[in-house]
């Protein structure tokens, strides 16, 4: 009997071991609500890429009141998507986030202005009201304004900054001359609301030289000392990038997969297909590995914040690693 | 570990001290000291637990960190206080309570208003602030005016209902006495019914103080200029500046208590004759 129990126990343990190995749990916290911006992850889930790598991935949608950095600090996720300015600012505040992969090569952030507000170039911003997103998304704007030498305190020479909710109402109602938009989302909300591209002037942050890296994958630095965690993340990044490339090639199918995963039912097919088309432009050219030159450009732009810089010191190479992507992609 | 033991020791000490004081004779000093000792103990235990368990500051900063941040950011905090508490909450409070008071007199004078308006008032009072705030922000713009409008909506009906209730707080004998003095409606109102309504009016005013501050802060979550307590709280969370969030919470708590206290003091001075105020030292 005793022997039988031992055997049974060993067998169970062995079985348990394989099961555990077959499905490592990974929780991913998205930066925003379920939409085509995160198509790669939903595709990898839907097409079984995560399963092939032996991962059981939970994708947690974000929202206007969710800060990914805080979720990971509280242990609610293994890996989060965040914008680099906000991740580096969190790093300075004592939460050691490390970029392990960067599926987005280009930035989709723009400032969209009405022509009838009299704006043709950035110099025309003076004396106007501009809508800006906060909650960690204001850093690219602040560093752009400080490079232009435009104060953000209001007045004749400066701009009045308005904390924009996560919609485009201020520009539609004329409360602001410009609002923040993403190429793949809010810009089209303005168009859908009845303004035409001819009515609008757009300033892409990328063209202004202040583009920052969006939607990178970040983990906590301490976890990277654990080989099991590194292995898990390697498989996660490999599967996610496979998902991204699949999404780039099959944008319409990817949009439908995203729609299937939208529990709120708030997204529409037309909007998601259009968004996926725009997203594919931003992920094109990235194999997942962070380009150190892009990192340095982001850091330089954040450090140039004048009297109120976003970060006070260059975080250096500790803030990113190629260890995961090298292992995943080769 | 040392911090946790210190926390336990402080807890025991605070408890013992308060038990001793509570058992002793009640004087002005002890009545003030007991809650103060309790509050200080809570803060010290908080500090010890956060340090002892090494809780990340982005989850819960220790009070010493909040105090440091408070001292270093008085400029920002003051600016936010002026924007939210003075411009938004206080303006809305005065407008809302003033309008409600005048409406209550009108309701009292014309019974048809009382039957028609009060049910509508209760309906509007039940509207959730998060539904109203975005609409009012659209109507009145992003600056403090829309916040004041939210506050007006929030304080108007509690104040109205209380004042109307208060104006009915005289009995037939008292009103008959006024009539035998040949006093008309207005004279009766001024000399008898308004003074009798004072406890109710102050009750409405006190309820409105806390509502006003909450309304002004929450309304700032739905679009605001880049100052104000609600703005700072909602954006600093995203920047993981939890010490600043807590500093704003301290300011909100101080402002709220101060405001309430001021109205309570005014009540004490004006309704000293009322049974609820008599016999207090």
């Amino acid at each position: 009997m005793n022997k039988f129990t031992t055997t049974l126990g060993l067998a169970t343990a062995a079985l348990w071991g394989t099961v555990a190995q077959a499905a490592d749990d990974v929780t991913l916290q998205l930066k925003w609500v379920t939409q085509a911006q995160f198509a790669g992850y939903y595709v990898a889930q839907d097409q079984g890429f995560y399963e092939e790598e032996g991962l059981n991935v939970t994708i947690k949608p974000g929202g206007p009141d969710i800060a990914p950095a805080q979720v990971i600090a509280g242990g609610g996720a293994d890996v989060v998507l965040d914008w680099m300015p906000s991740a580096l600012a969190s790093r300075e505040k004592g939460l050691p986030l490390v970029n392990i992969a960067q599926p987005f090569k280009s930035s989709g952030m723009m400032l969209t202005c009405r022509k009838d507000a009299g704006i043709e170039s950035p110099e025309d911003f003076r004396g106007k009201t501009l809508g800006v997103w906060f909650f960690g998304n204001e850093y690219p704007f602040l560093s752009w304004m400080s490079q232009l030498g435009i104060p953000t305190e209001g007045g004749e020479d400066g701009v009045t900054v308005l904390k924009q909710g996560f919609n485009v109402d201020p520009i539609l109602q004329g409360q602001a001359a410009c609002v923040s938009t993403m190429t793949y989302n809010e810009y089209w909300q303005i168009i859908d609301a009845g303004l035409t591209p001819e009515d609008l002037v757009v300033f892409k942050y990328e063209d202004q030289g202040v583009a920052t890296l969006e939607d990178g994958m970040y983990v906590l630095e301490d976890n990277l000392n654990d080989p099991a965690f590194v292995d898990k993340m390697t498989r996660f990044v490999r599967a996610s990038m496979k998902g991204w490339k699949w999404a780039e090639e099959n944008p319409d199918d990817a949009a439908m997969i995203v729609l299937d995963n939208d529990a709120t039912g708030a997204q529409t097919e037309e909007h998601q297909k259009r968004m996926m088309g725009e997203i594919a432009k931003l992920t094109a050219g990235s194999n997942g590995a962070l380009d150190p030159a892009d990192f340095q450009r982001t850091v330089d732009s954040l450090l140039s914040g004048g009297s109120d810089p976003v970060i006070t010191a260059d975080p250096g190479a500790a803030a990113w690693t190629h260890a995961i992507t090298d292992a995943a992609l080769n | 570990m040392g911090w946790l033991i210190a926390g336990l020791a402080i807890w025991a000490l605070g408890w013992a001290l308060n038990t001793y004081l509570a058992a002793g004779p009640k004087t002005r000093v002890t009545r003030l000291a007991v809650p103060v000792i309790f509050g200080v103990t809570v803060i010290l235990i908080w500090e010890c637990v956060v340090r002892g368990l090494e809780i990340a500051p982005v989850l819960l900063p220790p009070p010493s960190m909040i105090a440091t941040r408070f001292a270093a950011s008085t400029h920002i905090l003051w600016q936010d206080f002026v924007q939210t508490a003075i411009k938004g909450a206080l303006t809305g409070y005065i407008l809302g309570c003033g309008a409600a008071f005048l409406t209550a007199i009108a309701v009292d004078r014309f019974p048809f208003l009382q039957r028609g308006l009060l049910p509508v008032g209760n309906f509007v009072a039940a509207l959730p602030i998060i539904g109203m705030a975005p609409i009012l922000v659209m109507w009145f713009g992003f600056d403090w005016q829309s916040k004041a409008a939210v506050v007006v909506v929030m304080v108007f009906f509690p104040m109205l209902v209380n004042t109307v209730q208060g104006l009915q707080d005289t009995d037939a004998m008292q009103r008959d006495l006024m009539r035998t003095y040949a006093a008309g409606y207005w004279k009766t109102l001024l000399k008898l019914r308004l003074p009798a309504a004072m406890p109710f009016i102050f009750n409405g005013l006190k309820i409105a103080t806390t509502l006003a501050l909450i309304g002004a802060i929450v309304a700032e979550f739905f679009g605001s200029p880049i100052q104000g307590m609600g703005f700072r709280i909602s954006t600093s969370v995203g920047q993981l500046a939890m010490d600043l969030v807590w500093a704003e919470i301290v300011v909100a708590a101080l402002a709220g208590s101060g405001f309430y206290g001021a109205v309570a003091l005014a009540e004490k001075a004006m309704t000293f004759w009322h049974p609820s105020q008599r016999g207090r030292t």
Side-chain angles (χ1 to χ4, degrees):
Chain A
M1 185 65 201
N2 206 359
K3 199 171 177 187
F4 174 71
T5 322
T6 319
T7 321
L8 195 69
L10 279 177
T12 319
L15 194 69
W16 180 247
T18 33
V19 169
Q21 208 171 24
D24 279 327
D25 289 326
V26 173
T27 307
L28 169 70
Q29 172 67 53
L30 304 182
K31 181 158 174 68
W32 193 239
V33 296
T34 303
Q35 56 178 10
Q37 183 183 359
F38 311 109
Y41 310 100
Y42 285 112
V43 165
Q45 181 87 295
D46 187 81
Q47 296 292 307
F49 299 159
Y50 287 138
E51 220 170 292
E52 284 167 23
E53 296 285 352
L55 294 173
N56 175 25
V57 177
T58 311
I59 303 178
K60 287 163 92 174
D65 49 0
I66 292 174
Q70 213 175 14
V71 174
I72 201 170
D78 299 304
V79 49
V80 295
L81 299 183
D82 205 352
W83 289 9
M84 186 167 277
S86 128
L88 292 182
S90 306
R91 198 181 160 82
E92 268 208 357
K93 296 248 161 53
L95 182 73
L97 290 177
V98 177
N99 179 306
I100 57 166
Q102 184 63 40
F104 277 59
K105 175 72 181 165
S106 319
S107 154
M109 201 176 174
M110 319 189 282
L111 202 60
T112 302
C113 307
R114 287 176 87 123
K115 273 191 187 149
D116 58 13
I119 289 181
E120 280 165 20
S121 76
E123 272 307 303
D124 299 326
F125 291 157
R126 291 180 195 276
K128 301 286 196 311
T129 301
L130 312 182
V132 176
W133 288 316
F134 279 80
F135 220 69
N137 304 340
E138 69 275 34
Y139 300 128
F141 172 82
L142 295 178
S143 75
W144 182 21
M145 288 301 126
S146 82
Q147 284 183 21
L148 290 171
I150 299 180
T152 51
E153 310 291 320
E156 280 291 293
D157 279 346
V159 292
T160 304
V161 176
L162 177 91
K163 182 195 158 201
Q164 185 184 338
F166 289 90
N167 58 37
V168 291
D169 289 345
I171 194 173
L172 300 176
Q173 295 164 0
Q175 289 178 332
C178 307
V179 291
S180 305
T181 57
M182 301 305 286
T183 52
Y184 47 82
N185 195 0
E186 289 79 8
Y187 178 74
W188 298 101
Q189 291 176 8
I190 298 178
I191 301 293
D192 286 344
L195 291 172
T196 64
E198 289 73 43
D199 295 333
L200 302 168
V201 193
V202 297
F203 300 96
K204 282 188 153 188
Y205 279 69
E206 195 113 290
D207 300 340
Q208 305 299 326
V210 287
T212 52
L213 292 169
E214 292 158 10
D215 287 12
M217 297 183 216
Y218 292 85
V219 300
L220 289 176
E221 194 167 327
D222 291 349
N223 287 342
L224 288 172
N225 299 327
D226 174 11
F229 183 82
V230 170
D231 174 57
K232 205 162 75 169
M233 282 302 122
T234 305
R235 287 180 280 145
F236 176 76
V237 168
R238 192 187 298 138
S240 301
M241 287 317 297
K242 209 166 147 192
W244 272 117
K245 293 308 149 187
W246 193 93
E248 275 175 36
E249 282 159 22
N250 311 287
D252 283 359
D253 293 336
M256 294 313 289
I257 292 175
V258 170
L259 275 180
D260 289 343
N261 282 287
D262 174 28
T264 64
Q267 308 290 359
T268 63
E269 188 179 331
E270 188 206 0
H271 189 59
Q272 288 307 305
K273 287 190 171 166
R274 201 164 49 188
M275 186 185 291
M276 189 57 232
E278 293 293 329
I279 288 287
K281 293 180 194 163
L282 304 179
T283 54
S286 170
N287 64 354
L290 173 75
D291 181 349
D294 288 345
F295 172 80
Q296 202 52 49
R297 186 196 63 213
T298 302
V299 168
D300 291 343
S301 144
L302 295 178
L303 280 171
S304 64
S307 61
D308 192 17
V310 174
I311 51 174
T312 52
D314 189 334
W320 58 275
T321 173
H322 272 167
I324 307 267
T325 43
D326 283 346
L329 306 170
N330 297 326
Chain B
M1 201 62 204
W3 281 105
L4 288 179
I5 293 168
L8 274 176
I10 290 164
W11 181 24
L13 197 72
W15 191 321
L17 203 57
N18 262 358
T19 320
Y20 171 75
L21 284 177
K26 285 197 175 69
T27 65
R28 252 190 121 92
V29 177
T30 52
R31 212 160 45 206
L32 200 66
V34 170
V36 167
I37 291 172
F38 177 75
V40 170
T41 313
V42 168
I43 289 175
L44 288 177
I45 292 175
W46 172 1
E47 178 90 28
C48 293
V49 169
V50 168
R51 283 172 185 273
L53 298 178
E54 291 177 355
I55 295 171
V58 293
L59 295 178
L60 182 66
S64 58
M65 194 173 161
I66 298 166
T68 319
R69 186 59 184 243
F70 190 99
S73 322
T74 43
H75 167 71
I76 294 178
L77 295 173
W78 173 249
Q79 175 193 323
D80 292 346
F81 173 78
V82 169
Q83 171 76 15
T84 305
I86 308 283
K87 287 185 183 165
L90 198 59
T91 313
Y93 180 82
I94 292 170
L95 287 177
C97 291
F101 181 76
L102 296 178
T103 312
I105 305 256
V107 165
D108 180 65
R109 189 84 181 92
F110 307 105
F112 109 92
L113 277 181
Q114 186 165 5
R115 281 185 219 127
L117 194 69
L118 280 185
V120 177
N122 290 331
F123 175 73
V124 176
L127 289 181
I129 176 184
I130 53 166
M132 294 298 298
I135 297 171
L136 292 171
V137 166
M138 273 187 211
W139 288 356
F140 296 101
F142 278 86
D143 212 348
W144 60 268
Q145 289 86 349
S146 63
K147 282 51 182 180
V150 170
V151 173
V152 168
V153 171
M154 284 188 76
V155 303
F156 185 81
F157 291 98
M159 182 66 191
L160 177 66
V161 170
N162 271 292
T163 312
V164 168
Q165 186 73 43
L167 287 174
Q168 289 163 355
D169 196 43
T170 47
D171 54 36
M173 289 289 267
Q174 293 168 321
R175 289 195 297 272
D176 283 349
L177 180 63
M178 290 306 280
R179 206 163 299 136
T180 60
Y181 291 161
Y185 172 81
W186 291 107
K187 203 145 228 172
T188 313
L189 184 72
L190 277 177
K191 304 270 179 189
L192 169 67
R193 301 179 59 216
L194 272 183
M198 277 300 167
F200 286 87
I201 292 174
F202 273 108
N203 197 24
L205 286 173
K206 283 195 288 190
I207 294 172
T209 53
T210 43
L211 282 179
L213 204 59
I214 295 170
I217 290 176
V218 172
E220 286 185 357
F221 291 6
F222 300 89
S224 66
I226 51 169
Q227 54 184 2
M229 291 151 80
F231 163 82
R232 200 75 59 193
I233 289 173
S234 65
T235 56
S236 298
V237 171
Q239 300 169 345
L240 291 190
M242 297 313 288
D243 46 350
L244 189 56
V245 174
W246 279 96
E248 288 285 356
I249 292 173
V250 172
V251 173
L254 289 178
S257 319
F259 198 7
Y260 186 94
V263 174
L265 275 181
E267 177 183 24
K268 208 170 169 180
M270 289 178 74
T271 61
F272 57 89
W273 47 269
H274 192 267
S276 67
Q277 302 291 336
R278 265 186 253 143
R280 283 201 189 173
T281 47

